[in-house]
Amino acid sequence: MDIDARIKRRQRRTDGPRLVEDYESLSPVAHIDEPSDRGPVLERLLDHLDPVFDGQLPPNAYVSGPFGSGKSAIVTALFRHLDQLSTETRSIIHTSTRAATPTAPGFVYVDMRETTSEFAFYHRVLDELVDEPVPDHGISTDDLRNRLHDLLGQSRTGIVVAVDHVCGPHDTDADELVDMFAGLPSNVSWLAVGRDDPDETPLTEYTATSIRVDRYRRQMLVDVLMTRASVGLTQQALDHELARRIADWADGNAHDALAALFVATDRATRDERTRLTDSDVNAAIEEIPSPSVSLGRVLALPANKQLVLRELVDLDPEERTSVTETTEAISSSPSVDLSTGTVKRFLYEMAEVGVVERVQSETSNDKGRPPSRVELRFPPTAFRRLYDLRQ
DNA sequence: GATCCACGGGAATACACGGATG
DNA sequence: CATCCGTGTATTCCCGTGGATC
């Protein structure tokens, strides 16, 4: 061990030991660059994308798999690498003035959680393709479409667009997506990613290939947890046995497993411990609702809705007995300057998409329609910490 | 002047329940 | 007894407005 490292360790001791080395790599919504143990799926994706390496465009495809199976992790990582690769070999799109011929297609990743309108969709695709920033005001949707046509008209090989989080119960619906692609030139191929089985979605009427991602096997999930812990936590913080417990409970859902690790870590940090204990893990598991909504979806909500949630997670149970009371409590907070009407509407809208759930109260004491209270469909500790880290 | 979108505000509709009505 | 009605809430739906930007 060299001198620097020794000194650093002494320094750290004076700071006091710390559990978390790197929150970013511990976050359940972050995808690491090399997802572990997904080799076979990666191979099938590459098989599908194979024409790309001859400068051709692959047909449309659909990737399906259950919640937490690592679909987004693989596709984001793969597209990031492919885009890097093709940027190196291509010149036209990025310089966009000279009519040189690109030798490889471009790659664009679009997350439909963050893409709530036609405008946002075209905006996102265009923004990925050009260097200069694309204005998000004062420009019409048609303008965006036209610019994309101009741009892609110069490209012989075109682009492949990965469209993540399609066709869930409340995502953009399939027809809308097909329409949006219909607005683009023909040298655009898409790779849609969603939870529905291929035969449950109309998207597969437009695809040549379907690729299935299975849930994680237990041992893989243990590895995923240990990998994250080794990057994000201090040495020996996560016992192998505890990782196995989390994996058993998570039943193949990597999102929930990572959320549990995150919440358990938060608890241990609060107690100023440097190792996770049984009870940390128990408490974490206890806190994660089942079924839960992806924290990624929660953190993709508009800022003011997240603000409302941030207040919501700190309310006392008494303040959550009805939507009306919850609304009062939230909008009376000094950090919220939304009207009560808006707060209430936000709560209903978030219940609609499954971020929270309305539960009708059992006792309909008074007159009128019985109220319902709002319950979280995500682990509050995880959201609180992730939200605060971003502020 | 144009564009998009988030907000605000409120109207319309749904629901529960007790009491009136046929 | 079955159904309707009125009242009080809860929930959904819709549209105009205004900020930010080109």
Side-chain angles (χ1 to χ4, degrees):
Chain A
M1 181 183 287
D2 67 291
I3 295 179
D4 272 357
R6 285 168 190 272
I7 292 174
K8 281 223 176 83
R9 203 166 62 168
R10 299 275 173 145
Q11 278 178 329
R12 186 168 297 167
R13 200 187 59 191
T14 61
D15 294 345
R18 56 179 178 163
L19 170 58
V20 178
E21 297 288 344
D22 179 14
Y23 264 111
E24 196 45 47
S25 52
L26 202 61
S27 162
V29 296
H31 297 305
I32 55 176
D33 204 38
E34 300 283 344
S36 39
D37 310 307
R38 302 265 83 174
V41 179
L42 204 52
E43 284 302 317
R44 269 179 290 155
L45 284 168
L46 285 170
D47 283 347
H48 165 68
L49 294 170
D50 200 54
V52 157
F53 302 104
D54 298 324
Q56 305 293 312
L57 216 53
N60 298 334
Y62 179 65
V63 178
S64 67
F67 181 27
S69 58
K71 305 180 293 298
S72 301
I74 305 169
V75 171
T76 51
L78 179 58
F79 268 59
R80 194 160 46 222
H81 283 275
L82 286 170
D83 187 47
Q84 244 159 25
L85 203 69
S86 83
T87 309
E88 286 162 13
T89 50
R90 145 181 81 127
S91 59
I92 167 173
I93 287 188
H94 280 259
T95 55
S96 88
T97 40
R98 269 193 310 158
T101 332
T103 53
F107 294 89
V108 173
Y109 174 86
V110 179
D111 187 348
M112 293 311 281
R113 282 169 178 164
E114 296 164 359
T115 319
T116 49
S117 66
E118 207 183 358
F119 176 85
F121 177 79
Y122 292 128
H123 184 277
R124 163 79 189 177
V125 175
L126 184 59
D127 198 40
E128 286 286 297
L129 291 176
V130 298
D131 282 336
E132 66 270 18
V134 182
D136 43 5
H137 292 279
I139 180 173
S140 73
T141 308
D142 276 343
D143 290 342
L144 288 179
R145 235 192 315 257
N146 290 336
R147 284 188 60 182
L148 278 165
H149 273 273
D150 289 348
L151 198 58
L152 291 166
Q154 306 168 42
S155 161
R156 197 190 55 197
T157 46
I159 57 171
V160 186
V161 181
V163 194
D164 204 351
H165 305 112
V166 298
C167 296
H170 307 287
D171 293 300
T172 317
D173 99 290
D175 298 337
E176 232 173 291
L177 190 68
V178 171
D179 284 347
M180 289 195 291
F181 275 107
L184 292 176
S186 56
N187 58 349
V188 174
S189 163
W190 48 262
L191 181 80
V193 183
R195 285 186 205 170
D196 289 346
D197 283 341
D199 50 342
E200 285 172 353
T201 170
L203 280 177
T204 43
E205 289 168 27
Y206 304 88
T207 60
T209 321
S210 288
I211 295 166
R212 172 89 195 157
V213 182
D214 290 320
R215 60 180 57 247
Y216 279 94
R217 303 246 203 73
R218 192 183 63 151
Q219 188 49 48
M220 291 178 178
L221 208 45
V222 173
D223 291 345
V224 169
L225 286 165
M226 293 309 290
T227 305
R228 285 293 181 113
S230 75
V231 182
L233 298 179
T234 193
Q235 292 289 308
Q236 312 295 324
L238 177 66
D239 194 79
H240 201 267
E241 193 56 42
L242 282 182
R244 202 169 310 160
R245 273 212 51 216
I246 295 175
D248 275 341
W249 161 82
D251 193 25
N253 182 333
H255 170 276
D256 283 356
L258 291 171
L261 175 61
F262 192 77
V263 174
T265 301
D266 186 77
R267 191 173 185 270
T269 306
R270 237 190 275 277
D271 284 3
E272 298 183 344
R273 282 181 279 104
T274 53
R275 298 197 58 165
L276 301 189
T277 65
D278 237 17
S279 61
D280 291 331
V281 170
N282 286 338
I285 286 175
E286 187 69 26
E287 192 190 296
I288 298 172
S290 161
S292 70
V293 67
S294 165
L295 284 162
R297 178 171 299 284
V298 179
L299 293 164
L301 291 169
N304 274 334
K305 282 192 175 167
Q306 290 192 53
L307 177 62
V308 166
L309 286 181
R310 182 63 185 84
E311 296 296 323
L312 177 62
V313 297
D314 282 350
L315 293 186
D316 298 330
E318 311 90 71
E319 294 172 305
R320 292 200 215 168
T321 49
S322 73
V323 173
T324 308
E325 275 204 60
T326 306
T327 301
E328 299 289 325
I330 291 174
S331 48
S332 70
S333 159
S335 43
V336 177
D337 70 346
L338 300 167
S339 75
T340 55
T342 300
V343 171
K344 184 178 275 188
R345 183 164 50 79
F346 279 3
L347 288 174
Y348 282 119
E349 284 176 3
M350 290 191 289
E352 188 65 28
V353 297
V355 168
V356 296
E357 187 179 13
R358 288 189 298 111
V359 182
Q360 208 171 56
S361 56
E362 44 296 317
T363 52
S364 58
N365 37 0
D366 292 336
K367 305 171 176 303
R369 189 171 177 171
S372 45
R373 66 176 188 282
V374 173
E375 294 205 336
L376 308 175
R377 302 314 291 171
F378 56 89
T381 303
F383 172 70
R384 196 181 284 122
R385 173 70 64 150
L386 290 168
Y387 181 89
D388 292 349
L389 280 170
R390 288 188 175 190
Q391 299 311 305

